[in-house]
Amino acid sequence: MPLSFAKPGDVCKVIRVGGNAKVRSHLENLGITLGAAITVVQSTPSGIIVNIRDSRVAISKEMASKIFVE
């Protein structure tokens, strides 16, 4: 499922990162790589806040829809 569908408190594992090369590179720089564990902290109409690799990151809903998790 896309990360944008996850609810606060969900712990997910990244299984695929979509988008063009620039988007994938940006997400990789944030620590969002295959196999990474992501915890959803907060979900707002404009985006979500997640914990990943000991960092808290805000991601737009559009960007979150390109990250697939299980």
Side-chain angles (χ1 to χ4, degrees):
M1 80 174 165
L3 182 60
S4 57
F5 291 170
K7 296 181 178 18
D10 287 353
V11 178
C12 308
K13 177 181 166 187
V14 177
I15 57 172
R16 185 165 63 100
V17 179
N20 61 35
K22 185 177 178 181
V23 168
R24 288 193 309 270
S25 176
H26 175 67
L27 292 172
E28 185 177 309
N29 289 336
L30 294 175
I32 300 171
T33 56
L34 295 180
I38 295 179
T39 304
V40 179
V41 176
Q42 184 179 4
S43 182
T44 66
S46 61
I48 62 172
I49 299 172
V50 298
N51 280 337
I52 184 158
R53 302 185 191 271
D54 299 326
S55 296
R56 188 166 284 194
V57 178
I59 303 170
S60 71
K61 288 282 188 177
E62 181 183 353
M63 193 77 70
S65 68
K66 296 177 182 355
I67 302 166
F68 291 85
V69 297
E70 61 178 8

